[in-house]
Amino acid sequence: MKFNTALCFILSAGALFGMALGRWKKAAIVLAGLGFALASASLMQYWIGHSLGIDEFVVHDRHTPLAEDPGRMSPGTALSFILIDTALILLVTGKSKLVVPGQALAMGSLFGGMIGLTGYILAASSLYKFFWFSSMAVHTSLLFVMLGVATLLASWDKGFVATVTSKKMGGRLARRLIPVAVVLPIIVGWLLLAGARAGYYDPVMIVDLFAIITIITFGVSIWLQAASLNRAHTDLMEQNRLLAKAGNTDALLAAIVESSDAAIVSESADGTITSWNAAAERMYGYTAQEMIGQTMARLIPHDAFADEADVIQNIRRGARNGHFEAKRQHKDGSLLDVSVMVSSVLDDRGKRIGISRIARNISEQKRMEEDLQESLREIQNLKAALDEHAIVAITDPKGKITYVNDKFCAISQYAREELIGQDHRMLNSAFHSKDFMRELWATITQGKIWHGKIRNRAKDGHFYWVDTTIVPFMGADGRPQKYVAVRSDITESMQVAETLARQAARLARSNKDLEQFAYIASHDLQEPLRAVSGCAQLLKKRYEGKLDAKADEFIHHTVEGAERMQRLIRDLLAFSRVGTRGEEMQKINLEQPLKTAMENLAVLIKECDATITCDPLPEIHGDSGQLTMLMQNLIGNAIKFRGERRPEVHIGAVKEGDAWTVSVRDNGIGIEADYFERIFIIFQRLHTRDEYSGTGIGLALCKRIVERHGGNIWVESTPGQGSVFSFTLRDDAQSS
């Protein structure tokens, strides 16, 4: 084989490969064009009788005599390349009107190769040297046959080749007869020539024998094909029967499509809608008349075209089906979430002729998914917040730990790996009784929430307290599936409570001692004091004015001191009993204690010509006796600490929030601001006994009474203009 011949075969094969791939059409045309040009130049040299210098341009042919044009391909070879390369150029363009001419040229090249190949098979040099097919090598002939067949098969579904490759009966018959028409004459011819060369019969007999054998062979072949066609006819009749039955099935399928809840839409290959079922009308709001002949673009929001682009592209590239979720716009403008299954619609040859879409409205599902995601986010946030604040553990129904958070590990000093699979007995401090634990388990196994305080023991042995809430999570069978325990560290508050309990115990003992003192003060101290006072009174009664002036002064001081001591003990006893001997708090009208106090002060009020006024007073919860004492002290002080003017006292009450503010206003001497706090301290006096009588306990007693009722007391005053003593009382007073 000459170098230029091999090069042309490579160029033609490359062009065929590019055409088969369909992506390198330009490269295929260039390769076929180069082969065409080289073959045409070689053939032109035979016509003009002059060498163009291309035969041995690359490789020098040393085996061919100079007279036979070394390196030059034969005219038949050059012509065959011109035919096949021209065919490739026409077929690569893809234009339908060029398919048949291209296939015809490829057939010409194929026949040229067949002539040479048949000559070699039959050992008849006249064939491969026929006309311009001089000296075409056997492998060259074979390659032209293969290249021609491959070129025809590259366009198998077009032109007259489509008749042979068709699935119809004509195509099937052609595919059966072509091998017989090609192979049988060659075999018969070879046998007849071999017999003639061996001398079995005259060469003239060859024509007769060839005709007879060909008639017999083709007759048998036709008979066989007729039998096959008869069977095919029978099959066709059966298919027609089945098709008629399928027509009923198609009607049933059409009814199913129309009654389906899914929107089913079919489109042609160019995307035009060809069918639109009732569910599509309900889902999108458009009727079939409005949508058939339109495209789905009418339903796709402008910003949602990309949702289905990849799937549709894959379908067009050959994928059978695909799925996507997208937005669709209803006729009323609202947006729908849809789930779409897209499938290719193929004809009987497997060619895609359209697509079908089956869509379901998943708007509600999407909304539920979004709600679920939002709920999950809220749960995660709540869990994060809970883990940040609380000690959390989860156990199975048997109490085995399945989850603990970081705070649990931190307070117990156990690693998470040490806790998982264990139960809470590893934290048992032996503080709680068995009855306590039995009550806990009895509560939660019944599906009830348990709440209480538990003392646990950490890994290093120290104890800690946790305020615990255990919530059982019930299963469908009504039994607990898990227990979630939420705890908070109350070790410090429990320690404070223990400290307060100890202090309360000490305070109780102190109160008991104070009560004992009060008892002593009311009995043991007053008894000798009454004896002293009685003797002093007798001395004053019998001897006053009978002795000298000095004796009268001593008797006067003795009587006055005894009386002052009695008042002091009495006031001190009242002060000590405010928190221990008070009456039970009950609902009373504050006007009643006020009335009692004014009755007790009636003599003083009359002597001083005092004016007492009051606004309507509220009902409160309180100790009637102590409130009488409170009012009596404040009104008595208002009259006692009077100036030159006639005493005027006014009692008022104002509601502020859930408490009442009661005020006692006077026009007395007033108080300096520096003493506003001091006057409420026991035994503190601002005046001498010669100026104003008293023990210095009255306002301290008032403060203690108010505090027992859960309120506060204070004073506002301007010296020379009077004072306002105010105190608060709650609607539902709490004792201190």
Side-chain angles (χ1 to χ4, degrees):
M1 180 183 290
K2 303 296 189 291
F3 176 80
N4 286 354
T5 302
L7 179 60
C8 283
F9 272 122
I10 293 172
L11 293 173
S12 299
L16 178 63
F17 183 72
M19 181 180 71
L21 291 179
R23 290 180 292 179
W24 299 341
K25 291 184 177 181
K26 292 183 179 180
I29 292 174
V30 171
L31 293 176
L34 291 174
F36 176 86
L38 183 58
S40 298
S42 298
L43 188 60
M44 187 179 296
Q45 292 180 126
Y46 287 105
W47 284 347
I48 64 178
H50 179 72
S51 175
L52 299 177
I54 62 173
D55 298 329
E56 295 181 294
F57 182 76
V58 178
V59 177
H60 182 65
D61 185 1
R62 299 178 180 178
H63 304 287
T64 304
L66 186 61
E68 297 181 6
D69 299 318
R72 184 179 300 175
M73 65 180 72
S74 67
T77 301
L79 180 59
S80 295
F81 275 126
I82 291 172
L83 294 175
I84 196 68
D85 287 329
T86 304
L88 287 170
I89 291 172
L90 295 177
L91 294 174
V92 167
T93 60
K95 296 181 179 180
S96 57
K97 62 182 179 180
L98 299 179
V99 172
V100 172
Q103 290 179 346
L105 293 173
M107 286 292 294
S109 176
L110 171 62
F111 287 150
M114 284 293 297
I115 291 172
L117 186 61
T118 303
Y120 283 107
I121 292 173
L122 299 179
S125 60
S126 60
L127 288 177
Y128 54 82
K129 291 183 179 181
F130 175 73
F131 190 44
W132 276 0
F133 293 91
S134 60
S135 301
M136 181 183 287
V138 61
H139 47 274
T140 301
S141 300
L142 180 60
L143 287 175
F144 274 122
V145 171
M146 295 172 62
L147 188 60
V149 172
T151 301
L152 292 173
L153 292 179
S155 57
W156 64 274
D157 58 343
K158 301 179 181 69
F160 57 76
V161 178
T163 303
V164 178
T165 59
S166 171
K167 294 181 181 180
K168 298 179 181 179
M169 295 182 65
R172 293 164 62 182
L173 180 62
R175 290 193 295 275
R176 292 176 182 178
L177 292 178
I178 285 176
V180 176
V182 173
V183 176
L184 182 62
I186 294 176
I187 294 174
V188 172
W190 183 85
L191 290 173
L192 292 175
L193 287 174
R197 292 188 182 106
Y200 294 130
Y201 41 78
D202 187 273
V204 178
M205 290 284 295
I206 293 176
V207 177
D208 296 334
L209 291 173
F210 185 81
I212 293 171
I213 293 172
T214 301
I215 291 170
I216 294 172
T217 303
F218 273 98
V220 172
S221 178
I222 290 171
W223 177 80
L224 292 174
Q225 296 307 315
S228 177
L229 287 176
N230 288 335
R231 290 192 298 272
H233 178 76
T234 302
D235 293 341
L236 182 61
M237 294 298 292
E238 178 64 18
Q239 289 178 7
N240 288 336
R241 185 186 68 79
L242 293 176
L243 285 174
K245 183 179 180 180
N248 297 330
T249 303
D250 289 343
L252 177 61
L253 290 176
I256 293 174
V257 168
E258 278 301 306
S259 61
S260 173
D261 290 333
I264 302 176
V265 179
S266 61
E267 304 172 22
S268 62
D270 63 357
T272 301
I273 295 173
T274 57
S275 70
W276 184 269
N277 75 341
E281 292 183 346
R282 293 191 298 270
M283 182 180 295
Y284 300 122
Y286 291 97
T287 64
Q289 290 77 11
E290 291 176 298
M291 290 304 298
I292 292 177
Q294 303 293 321
T295 66
M296 290 298 292
R298 188 173 185 178
L299 305 177
I300 302 175
H302 296 300
D303 57 350
F305 278 94
D307 292 343
E308 62 181 87
D310 292 340
V311 175
I312 299 301
Q313 189 64 27
N314 289 336
I315 293 292
R316 290 172 177 169
R317 289 175 179 171
R320 294 298 301 272
N321 52 57
H323 175 265
F324 62 89
E325 293 181 358
K327 295 282 188 182
R328 289 290 180 265
Q329 190 166 19
H330 192 272
K331 186 177 181 179
D332 63 10
S334 61
L335 293 179
L336 308 174
D337 287 293
V338 294
S339 173
V340 185
M341 175 63 71
V342 184
S343 302
S344 292
V345 178
L346 308 177
D347 62 9
D348 57 353
R349 293 185 297 174
K351 180 180 178 181
R352 186 179 64 83
I353 58 174
I355 62 174
S356 68
R357 300 170 184 254
I358 302 176
R360 294 187 179 276
N361 188 345
I362 59 171
S363 300
E364 182 64 19
Q365 176 184 335
K366 282 289 187 180
R367 187 191 64 77
M368 294 176 63
E369 289 177 357
E370 291 173 359
D371 290 345
L372 178 60
Q373 290 298 324
E374 182 62 27
S375 298
L376 289 175
R377 282 193 295 272
E378 289 181 2
I379 291 172
Q380 291 295 330
N381 292 336
L382 289 173
K383 179 181 179 300
L386 187 63
D387 284 341
E388 186 66 25
H389 170 74
I391 303 162
V392 182
I394 301 176
T395 67
D396 63 14
K398 296 182 179 180
K400 298 294 183 182
I401 298 173
T402 59
Y403 168 83
V404 292
N405 67 348
D406 292 340
K407 283 191 174 293
F408 191 105
C409 297
I411 195 170
S412 68
Q413 298 183 352
Y414 285 99
R416 185 172 281 104
E417 294 75 15
E418 296 177 282
L419 293 165
I420 300 299
Q422 303 297 321
D423 57 36
H424 283 79
R425 281 181 292 195
M426 66 189 301
L427 306 175
N428 189 0
S429 64
F431 177 81
H432 303 285
S433 66
K434 292 182 178 179
D435 290 339
F436 176 88
M437 301 308 296
R438 277 196 292 268
E439 185 273 333
L440 185 156
W441 275 101
T443 300
I444 62 177
T445 53
Q446 293 175 10
K448 300 177 182 177
I449 297 174
W450 184 89
H451 180 79
K453 297 179 176 62
I454 298 178
R455 190 175 81 163
N456 287 333
R457 184 182 61 191
K459 187 176 182 180
D460 65 357
H462 84 272
F463 298 107
Y464 62 93
W465 282 89
V466 286
D467 185 70
T468 305
T469 300
I470 303 176
V471 181
F473 280 55
M474 311 302 288
D477 58 358
R479 297 180 179 179
Q481 298 297 307
K482 64 177 67 174
Y483 301 107
V484 178
V486 181
R487 304 173 173 90
S488 57
D489 184 6
I490 58 170
T491 304
E492 184 176 347
S493 62
M494 290 297 290
Q495 292 172 347
V496 170
E498 291 175 0
T499 301
L500 291 175
R502 289 192 295 270
Q503 292 175 349
R506 287 197 298 269
L507 183 59
R509 290 193 298 270
S510 298
N511 286 336
K512 188 175 182 181
D513 293 342
L514 185 58
E515 288 183 11
Q516 185 66 26
F517 167 76
Y519 177 81
I520 293 172
S522 62
H523 292 82
D524 298 350
L525 291 180
Q526 289 202 62
E527 183 62 30
L529 184 59
R530 279 194 293 269
V532 172
S533 177
C535 292
Q537 291 289 344
L538 286 174
L539 285 173
K540 181 178 181 181
K541 183 177 181 180
R542 291 183 181 183
Y543 298 105
E544 186 177 12
K546 296 179 180 181
L547 301 176
D548 59 11
K550 201 70 173 176
D552 289 343
E553 182 181 355
F554 289 155
I555 292 173
H556 176 73
H557 285 313
T558 301
V559 172
E560 184 181 294
E563 291 176 350
R564 190 167 62 250
M565 186 63 181
Q566 283 182 325
R567 287 195 301 272
L568 181 61
I569 292 174
R570 186 171 59 251
D571 290 348
L572 185 60
L573 183 60
F575 180 81
S576 66
R577 287 178 171 176
V578 168
T580 58
R581 295 291 183 91
E583 299 175 3
E584 183 179 353
M585 297 285 184
Q586 59 185 350
K587 195 173 187 66
I588 60 171
N589 191 305
L590 198 55
E591 292 181 359
Q592 183 60 46
L594 175 61
K595 179 180 179 182
T596 305
M598 291 179 64
E599 289 175 353
N600 295 339
L601 295 170
V603 175
L604 178 63
I605 294 172
K606 184 176 181 180
E607 288 179 352
C608 299
D609 193 22
T611 301
I612 311 297
T613 59
C614 72
D615 295 334
L617 298 180
E619 287 189 344
I620 60 154
H621 280 77
D623 182 333
S624 178
Q626 291 185 355
L627 291 175
T628 298
M629 194 180 303
L630 172 64
M631 289 293 191
Q632 186 172 325
N633 272 285
L634 293 177
I635 296 172
N637 282 350
I639 296 173
K640 180 170 63 174
F641 295 99
R642 62 186 180 276
E644 298 296 330
R645 295 174 292 178
R646 183 167 63 89
E648 294 180 358
V649 182
H650 180 76
I651 298 96
V654 178
K655 184 69 178 290
E656 295 181 353
D658 59 351
W660 286 92
T661 299
V662 182
S663 61
V664 178
R665 181 184 302 272
D666 64 56
N667 60 346
I669 61 175
I671 304 171
E672 294 284 351
D674 293 342
Y675 303 114
F676 284 177
E677 298 293 333
R678 178 181 171 184
I679 60 176
F680 293 105
I681 301 174
I682 192 170
F683 300 134
Q684 295 297 314
R685 296 173 54 88
L686 303 183
H687 306 280
T688 65
R689 293 188 183 89
D690 294 336
E691 294 178 293
Y692 297 99
S693 62
T695 60
I697 296 177
L699 287 178
L701 178 62
C702 290
K703 180 179 180 182
R704 192 161 189 186
I705 291 172
V706 171
E707 288 177 347
R708 183 185 175 228
H709 285 74
N712 296 308
I713 187 169
W714 66 95
V715 64
E716 298 171 294
S717 180
T718 301
Q721 297 182 12
S723 303
V724 180
F725 283 84
S726 302
F727 58 90
T728 56
L729 295 174
R730 301 175 65 86
D731 280 342
D732 185 10
Q734 301 174 352
S735 61
S736 59

